[in-house]
Amino acid sequence: MIVLGVILLVIGLIAGIGILWTIGIILVAIGLVLWVMGSLGHAVGGRNHYY
């Protein structure tokens, strides 16, 4: 999710499309929150493990 957000940020910046920039920021923020929650040991999406 973080990678997709960064890609959208870059495309939005190059193409000058504001909605891509906004969606990219939202995806990066959500991805970072989920990543931090997962690294702290909280169950993300109802799963404690990746398997």
Side-chain angles (χ1 to χ4, degrees):
M1 191 175 284
I2 296 172
V3 173
L4 180 62
V6 170
I7 290 170
L8 288 177
L9 282 172
V10 170
I11 292 173
L13 180 64
I14 292 172
I17 302 173
I19 190 71
L20 289 181
W21 181 258
T22 304
I23 294 172
I25 291 173
I26 292 170
L27 285 178
V28 168
I30 292 173
L32 286 175
V33 167
L34 291 176
W35 177 53
V36 168
M37 285 176 56
S39 67
L40 291 176
H42 294 280
V44 177
R47 300 172 189 255
N48 288 329
H49 302 286
Y50 64 89
Y51 53 86

